Amino acid sequence: MAAFNRSELADLNVFMAIIRRRSFRHAAHELGVTTSALSHTMRNLETRLGVKLLYRTSRAVEPTDAGSLLAEKLTQGFATIKDGLDTLELYRETPIGRLRLNVPRDAAVLLLAPILGEFCAAYPQLRLDLIVQDQMIDIIAEGYDAGIRYGATVPQDMVAVPLTGELRWIMVASPAYLARQGTPQVPKDLLQHTCIRMYLGDKTTYKWELGNGSRQQRIDVPGHFSAADTETIVNAALQGVGIAYCLSNRVEQELKDGRLVEVMPDWACMGEPLCMYYPSRRQSQPGLRQLMDMIRMKTIGSQLIEPH
């Protein structure tokens, strides 16, 4: 093979993006280029190396045996390069570069929305890419630097940093619904009510967790309406569809102005905090430490976390 040149590193990065995504279209979106540009790059790379690296069909992209071997070696090499570049963040006061996050909708509303303007103004040289997605994904395989999830769902091989204190999950309903159907007093009463069921990221229906400790109960509540996001669930409760289960912070204003009423407050459930998680203990991804600090300062003021 001829001597390594500057363009080769960029071409190999393109190859690795295609391997991660198993798609020219998705890789092009990740890299911010056209699909045709990626195809041209791969043709040139394969010609230069003299080896076919990819099998491409109308439905999928798969590596050849040579491509699999190259990808395995490059994964180690690119990780070493990234670690080397990441160490510079320890010496830089103002983050520069790109930070890619994957977060659930509740975290986007409660943690990120309140600080986005301030954060972007404070760090104009940082590109923040935010993807809101409730289902769990492999953030490393999908090319993200970090994610936010509830503590119990964070993969064990990741570093998890709590951004909030324990979160309070409650049941709420509109005054009109309660006037029409009555107010449940104990968990078993819910079986005689219409509840707004909640889908999890894996499309299964969530069993409501009521109470704490040894008295906690999990109930598969009845209901003719289900949704996967909190906003839709809360809107349905406001319209009298039934009893909803959600984070107390998501309905704070609705409870204050009386549009919703908390049901069975003695059976509220304290759950895991929202955590930032990532694969490296150095916290060296550009802007990640500053983002976590800003979120935590804001959540102290909003009572999502208790100051120490």
Side-chain angles (χ1 to χ4, degrees):
M1 177 179 170
F4 193 82
N5 60 54
R6 289 184 302 172
S7 66
E8 207 110 62
L9 185 61
D11 293 349
L12 292 173
N13 186 52
V14 166
F15 167 68
M16 290 301 293
I18 296 169
I19 290 294
R20 280 197 306 273
R21 298 294 189 171
R22 290 296 196 270
S23 163
F24 273 70
R25 181 171 62 85
H26 292 158
H29 179 73
E30 176 185 328
L31 297 173
V33 298
T34 65
T35 304
S36 61
L38 256 65
S39 297
H40 179 72
T41 296
M42 283 308 305
R43 282 196 300 270
N44 287 345
L45 181 61
E46 289 177 328
T47 298
R48 175 173 170 76
L49 297 178
V51 177
K52 186 171 181 61
L53 300 174
L54 298 172
Y55 292 121
R56 185 180 184 184
T57 69
S58 59
R59 294 186 176 182
V61 177
E62 295 292 338
T64 64
D65 289 344
S68 294
L69 180 60
L70 178 61
E72 180 182 345
K73 299 296 184 181
L74 287 178
T75 297
Q76 302 169 20
F78 275 107
T80 300
I81 292 171
K82 186 176 188 302
D83 284 347
L85 294 174
D86 284 347
T87 58
L88 298 178
E89 292 303 318
L90 301 174
Y91 302 95
R92 181 181 291 133
E93 294 183 4
T94 302
I96 298 173
R98 182 186 187 191
L99 178 62
R100 299 191 75 231
L101 297 180
N102 186 286
V103 308
R105 192 170 301 276
D106 280 348
V109 171
L110 293 174
L111 303 183
L112 293 170
I115 58 94
L116 276 179
E118 181 182 355
F119 183 79
C120 292
Y123 307 109
Q125 292 179 287
L126 179 72
R127 173 179 168 182
L128 177 61
D129 291 352
L130 177 64
I131 302 299
V132 179
Q133 187 175 9
D134 284 329
Q135 60 264 40
M136 283 295 297
I137 65 165
D138 183 336
I139 60 170
I140 297 176
E142 296 293 330
Y144 294 98
D145 297 304
I148 297 178
R149 288 295 183 275
Y150 295 104
T153 65
V154 173
Q156 292 186 353
D157 59 345
M158 294 284 178
V159 179
V161 178
L163 299 174
T164 70
E166 284 190 314
L167 298 170
R168 187 169 182 264
W169 292 84
I170 65 174
M171 293 160 285
V172 296
S174 70
Y177 172 85
L178 297 176
R180 186 172 70 248
Q181 300 294 337
T183 301
Q185 301 299 318
V186 293
K188 68 178 182 180
D189 292 348
L190 293 172
L191 300 178
Q192 308 303 318
H193 277 264
T194 299
C195 297
I196 302 166
R197 306 176 80 198
M198 177 168 50
Y199 282 125
L200 298 174
D202 61 4
K203 308 304 181 186
T204 59
T205 305
Y206 178 70
K207 292 182 179 180
W208 291 8
E209 296 182 352
L210 309 179
N212 301 282
S214 60
R215 74 193 288 258
Q216 187 176 84
Q217 299 183 28
R218 299 182 76 236
I219 298 182
D220 189 4
V221 295
H224 55 264
F225 179 75
S226 304
D229 67 282
T230 303
E231 184 176 0
T232 301
I233 288 170
V234 171
N235 284 336
L238 287 167
Q239 296 178 47
V241 172
I243 300 173
Y245 183 91
C246 63
L247 284 174
S248 61
N249 302 86
R250 286 297 301 269
V251 290
E252 186 175 1
Q253 187 57 50
E254 291 84 352
L255 292 171
K256 283 182 179 179
D257 61 27
R259 287 183 293 155
L260 289 176
V261 176
E262 185 174 355
V263 174
M264 297 193 302
D266 290 344
W267 286 93
C269 177
M270 299 305 296
E272 293 276 349
L274 283 163
C275 297
M276 184 77 76
Y277 70 103
Y278 48 89
S280 171
R281 287 193 174 274
R282 290 194 307 273
Q283 302 182 21
S284 54
Q285 294 87 341
L288 183 59
R289 176 181 56 80
Q290 291 88 343
L291 180 64
M292 289 192 295
D293 288 346
M294 191 173 290
I295 289 173
R296 287 174 62 83
M297 288 302 297
K298 184 66 71 171
T299 54
I300 287 174
S302 64
Q303 299 180 339
L304 270 169
I305 188 172
E306 293 296 328
H308 296 289

